[in-house]
Amino acid sequence: MTPDKLLFSETHEWVHLDQTEAQPIATIGITAFAIEALTDLVYMQLPKVGDQLTAGEPFGEIESVKAVSDLYSPVSGEVIEVNSKLPDNLEILNDDPYGEGWMIKVKVTDPAPLSKLMKLEAYEKQCSEEQ
Amino acid sequence: MSSTLAKTPLHDWHAAHGGRMVEFGGWSMPVQYSSIVAEHHATRQAAGLFDISHMGRIRFDGAEAAQYLDSLVTRSVTKIKPGQVRYALMTADDGGVLDDVLVYHLQDAAGGSYYLLVVNASNRPKIISWLGKHPEPEGVQVTDLTTSWAMLAVQGPKALGLLQPLVEVELSALKYYSAVETRIDGHGGIVSRTGYTGEDGFELIVGNGAVQALWEKLLAAGASEGVLPAGLGARDTLRLEAGMPLYGHELSEEINPYQANLGFAVNLEGRSFPGHSALLTLAHDNTRPRIVGLELEGRRPAREGYEVRSGGQVVGRVTSGTFSPTLEKPIAMALVAPEYTAEGTPLVVDVRGQEVAAKVVPLPFYRRSH
């Protein structure tokens, strides 16, 4: 997955949308920028298959030596798949944040929140302002 | 970064070398440069270099300087010899801890004796005002050197070898908790064998103008051995593994020295200081919560403020917690009701709504072997 094919949230999650089905499937992870900012990851908690997510609400937690951060869902829908090997292999996030580092797949039930997501260029602009 | 924050003479160096600057005790300080874990391991295995210029340094001169300090701290400092450093507390009238401090007895080049009080950055305004409420006797001068002098810590097994070429004194002859005025990189300064990491190491006090060259020389000399600049993040994980209290966490005005297992730093016999009479009673009070070490199951760290429970009842709260880079598990210190402080006591920590099993373990979590 290359970042230019993805959409981004203000809270540093990325979304890959598969629109081949009637209900789009969103694959969600967090960006390289977020992983770099967190550093020293020690723990992650992801939702379960079947959980209902609401856009803008936490779907999990990621914790570094220094602090704990919420992961916010960029979409509303039902969790259909979870990358269950990730919490025990957090280095994958550093190695391949946009590929093997995916966190969850969600069947999108409400397309409205998708319009709030940014393209790569806008997201990179936000990151450069945060630095 | 707000312009009201104080900056150390190394501030621009930190910012230019990847230091993530955060507010700490009124100062803009680097929390990390590369990674907390990398800086932590560098300190345990080689050496870490810390800018600790934010620590308050207050000098006391005059024939009665020792008596004056003695009247304010929990341990006698009138008999410490030149070259000795003593850990002590300053307590309020009710025995609560105002700060934990180091008292240095030093000798200048002319053989004159003076004292240095090193206080926590966040407590410096409070301690200065506390000194104002207990005015010094005639003939004692109190000078706040904090902003005119800088302070570094070089900590780790390679610290001695790294620092020796830059100082005139023989460092191997400098005992733990002793200090001396010497030339450091050609400038007048103070070196002490003290630290806050659980490693062997030194703390250096040098003039603002001399500190950056010294810092860069130490880093350049240590680069091939894995020496790294280290920020407040690693300083916190290192001191926590070493079981050392941090003011505002294990120590506060609401916690007395005995609760923090610091009875060794309180000397009541034949002495008088604020809090003395309260501490006479508190020394025998076993009903108050005490600081214990906790190890948690899993990998999820407990954080300050999390509830500690036993049998569904709240029996304490976490004062500091992290993921220990050395032990590779979550460790914490907690203030816990006395009946739950015995080693091995099983407890539960509420980690953001999830009950995580923990047990009381002896402090420190880490003791160096070299």
Side-chain angles (χ1 to χ4, degrees), chain A:
Chain A
M1 207 92 65
T2 56
D4 59 336
K5 302 277 194 296
L6 304 175
L7 295 169
F8 299 88
S9 69
E10 281 179 15
T11 48
H12 305 286
E13 289 83 16
W14 58 259
V15 180
H16 175 262
L17 270 186
D18 177 355
Q19 314 236 43
T20 54
E21 305 290 323
Q23 270 187 315
I25 306 296
T27 304
I28 296 166
I30 61 170
T31 67
F33 179 88
I35 292 159
E36 165 69 21
L38 289 164
T39 63
D40 303 319
L41 300 176
V42 296
Y43 177 85
M44 151 177 259
Q45 181 156 303
L46 294 175
K48 292 187 289 295
V49 169
D51 284 0
Q52 297 293 327
L53 304 184
T54 306
E57 297 290 318
F59 73 83
E61 291 173 2
I62 190 157
E63 192 144 12
S64 71
V65 168
K66 192 75 195 152
V68 57
S69 307
D70 282 317
L71 300 165
Y72 294 96
S73 182
V75 301
S76 295
E78 182 189 334
V79 178
I80 55 165
E81 211 178 325
V82 174
N83 188 355
S84 55
K85 71 177 176 182
L86 199 54
D88 291 326
N89 299 279
L90 291 170
E91 68 282 355
I92 294 171
L93 287 171
N94 296 92
D95 298 342
D96 192 9
Y98 304 112
E100 291 295 305
W102 70 275
M103 293 176 175
I104 52 172
K105 293 186 183 182
V106 178
K107 189 183 279 183
V108 177
T109 50
D110 174 12
L114 295 173
S115 64
K116 288 191 191 151
L117 299 175
M118 291 174 269
K119 294 215 163 106
L120 180 63
E121 195 182 340
Y123 176 67
E124 283 179 338
K125 185 162 176 284
Q126 179 195 312
C127 291
S128 67
E129 282 161 6
E130 276 182 34
Q131 239 159 7

Side-chain angles (χ1 to χ4, degrees), chain B residues 20 52 65 157 197 213 225 253 284 324 333:
Chain B
R20 296 188 192 173
I52 53 168
T197 59
E225 301 190 271
E253 292 180 39
H284 306 288
S324 162
M333 289 199 267

Side-chain angles (χ1 to χ4, degrees), chain B residues 88-346:
Chain B
L89 306 165
M90 296 177 81
T91 43
D93 292 334
D94 66 358
V97 178
L98 294 172
D99 201 5
D100 62 334
V101 300
L102 290 182
V103 178
Y104 292 52
H105 185 186
L106 289 155
Q107 213 158 33
D108 62 27
S113 191
Y114 67 96
Y115 292 80
L116 200 62
L117 181 70
V118 176
V119 306
N120 282 293
S122 55
N123 288 332
R124 183 170 134 245
K126 179 174 77 179
I127 296 302
I128 300 273
S129 115
W130 184 249
L131 296 175
K133 285 183 201 138
H134 301 84
E136 64 272 20
E138 193 119 334
V140 174
Q141 290 96 47
V142 180
T143 319
D144 185 356
L145 303 176
T146 308
T147 53
S148 48
W149 290 75
M151 192 166 183
L152 305 182
V154 196
Q155 300 280 303
K158 307 259 187 198
L160 192 151
L162 198 61
L163 182 59
Q164 184 62 74
L166 291 164
V167 296
E168 281 181 357
V169 288
E170 179 61 40
L171 290 176
S172 60
L174 194 66
K175 290 194 186 117
Y176 191 50
Y177 268 72
S178 55
V180 66
E181 270 202 7
T182 185
R183 307 293 292 177
I184 303 172
D185 192 27
H187 300 271
I190 296 163
V191 56
S192 61
R193 198 162 195 165
T194 49
Y196 194 52
T197 59
E199 295 302 321
D200 185 21
F202 301 87
E203 290 173 319
L204 311 171
I205 298 174
V206 294
N208 281 351
V211 70
Q212 186 164 332
L214 172 63
W215 174 271
E216 287 176 335
K217 278 182 196 178
L218 287 166
L219 278 182
S224 63
E225 301 190 271
V227 174
L228 288 181
L232 293 178
R235 188 166 160 84
D236 192 47
T237 53
L238 289 159
R239 70 93 195 166
L240 192 42
E241 284 185 351
M244 294 169 165
L246 174 60
Y247 196 88
H249 296 257
E250 288 71 40
L251 293 172
S252 76
E253 292 180 39
E254 282 72 49
I255 300 174
N256 74 55
Y258 303 102
Q259 292 178 272
N261 310 312
L262 296 176
F264 75 89
V266 181
N267 167 217
L268 295 171
E269 225 174 285
R271 303 195 57 241
S272 171
F273 57 85
H276 180 269
S277 57
L279 291 170
L280 278 173
T281 310
L282 291 168
H284 306 288
D285 181 353
N286 297 321
T287 66
R288 292 176 189 244
R290 285 210 311 275
I291 295 288
V292 295
L294 296 179
E295 262 179 30
L296 280 77
E297 281 182 9
R299 290 182 61 84
R300 207 176 185 193
R303 306 286 181 188
E304 184 187 6
Y306 288 6
E307 280 181 0
V308 178
R309 298 187 192 135
S310 176
Q313 300 281 8
V314 177
V315 300
R317 65 181 169 80
V318 172
T319 51
S320 295
T322 193
F323 186 84
S324 162
T326 306
L327 307 174
E328 296 193 302
K329 55 183 154 191
I331 58 170
M333 289 199 267
L335 195 60
V336 170
E339 50 274 44
Y340 302 96
T341 54
E343 195 181 319
T345 305

